[in-house]
Amino acid sequence: MALFGNPFFKSESKETEDDYSKGVLCLQKGNFYDADKYFRAAAASGHVSALYNLALINGGASISPCDIDFAISCFRKAGNGGHPKAKEFSTWIDKAEDTSFGTRALAMFAAQLPAQNEPNHLLMMVGCRLYSALCTQYEASDSVVEYELDAASTSDHPYIHRFIDRTGVNKSIYSGGLNRVQQGSAADQITDGLNHLFLGLKHSGHSDDLGLMIRCTIVGYIISKSKHANAASPLLGIDKFFAR
């Protein structure tokens, strides 16, 4: 709850402010789905704090589906509306999209995050946009996806195999992907960046499970922007990602 903090903005509309207040009450009860519903209603009338909270809920994968693009849209609107934190950190997303943020910087950010049991919204938004942009820039989406899914297929975790199934990518496509990536290639450097991101999260005390979920979400986001997008299922939030 500390992330959500005190409201920055107060609407002149009683109905809008009531929706926002109901959303806050839902947050206090840990009811992210109803909070999302009320914040969306308030955000439709331009409530800046509601927009910011929507970015936290959706960007932090508190609900399913985990809609990263919606989270980023809300985050930017909140920044444009004057929300101080959104305004400050929207530049990180801009830099992720033009790839000037860098995978090392993201891994360092992960290594400095306080350990928690849910994904950090900023890490998720920046990570998804950064790695997607890198794959597009270097035409490496196919190689990265095949490498990541082939590696994931060796996991002992059932939730990883359920993730692979949700990508809709046929095994015949990704099988052998680990061996097809050439050392020093763009795909090799991108997947190495994902390795460092996972290690950064581990260094800061995050569980392996959470680190793997974040990695899967980034890979799933890359897939959602690739030729495999139509076959892929929506990304799942933390409430359903590990569910059997």
Side-chain angles (χ1 to χ4, degrees):
M1 284 297 299
L3 272 176
F4 294 89
N6 296 319
F8 161 78
F9 175 87
K10 188 169 184 178
S11 174
E12 295 180 358
S13 164
K14 183 180 183 303
E15 182 179 357
T16 299
E17 197 60 33
D18 283 348
D19 282 331
Y20 177 76
S21 297
K22 289 175 183 176
V24 172
L25 288 174
C26 289
L27 279 182
Q28 293 172 347
K29 297 176 182 178
N31 185 348
F32 291 104
Y33 284 92
D34 281 348
D36 179 78
K37 178 182 70 175
Y38 287 119
F39 286 144
R40 284 178 188 251
S45 297
H47 198 293
V48 175
S49 291
L51 284 163
Y52 181 72
N53 285 348
L54 283 171
L56 298 188
I57 291 172
N58 289 272
S62 297
I63 61 175
S64 298
C66 172
D67 192 337
I68 296 295
D69 289 335
F70 175 69
I72 290 172
S73 175
C74 290
F75 198 72
R76 281 179 161 150
K77 287 177 181 177
N80 291 336
H83 193 286
K85 288 185 179 178
K87 189 174 182 179
E88 177 184 1
F89 290 109
S90 286
T91 57
W92 285 28
I93 299 173
D94 296 338
K95 290 180 179 179
E97 291 173 343
D98 68 18
T99 70
S100 63
F101 192 90
T103 59
R104 285 181 179 270
L106 188 65
M108 289 177 63
F109 175 61
Q112 295 167 4
L113 282 172
Q116 50 191 18
N117 296 322
E118 57 190 10
N120 175 273
H121 65 287
L122 194 56
L123 180 75
M124 292 277 273
M125 293 189 293
V126 172
C128 286
R129 283 290 170 91
L130 172 61
Y131 279 97
S132 177
L134 286 169
C135 285
T136 299
Q137 181 176 338
Y138 294 103
E139 299 181 345
S141 294
D142 288 350
S143 295
V144 169
V145 167
E146 291 164 17
Y147 177 99
E148 289 292 318
L149 295 186
D150 193 29
S153 69
T154 66
S155 174
D156 293 329
H157 299 296
Y159 63 81
I160 295 293
H161 292 275
R162 291 193 293 271
F163 163 74
I164 295 173
D165 290 342
R166 290 194 301 274
T167 67
V169 180
N170 193 283
K171 185 176 181 179
S172 63
I173 294 174
Y174 66 75
S175 183
L178 271 169
N179 299 321
R180 288 195 292 271
V181 170
Q182 296 183 353
Q183 187 173 2
S185 66
D188 182 47
Q189 294 179 59
I190 290 169
T191 54
D192 194 47
L194 288 169
N195 290 336
H196 283 101
L197 176 60
F198 178 81
L199 291 174
L201 287 164
K202 191 176 180 72
H203 176 80
S204 58
H206 292 81
S207 69
D208 285 358
D209 286 337
L210 187 63
L212 289 171
M213 180 205 168
I214 291 171
R215 184 169 188 155
C216 286
T217 301
I218 292 173
V219 172
Y221 186 82
I222 293 169
I223 291 171
S224 76
K225 305 301 179 184
S226 75
K227 65 185 182 184
H228 303 294
N230 290 337
S233 298
L235 299 172
L236 296 183
I238 195 166
D239 62 323
K240 294 184 179 178
F241 184 85
F242 298 103
R244 294 185 179 277

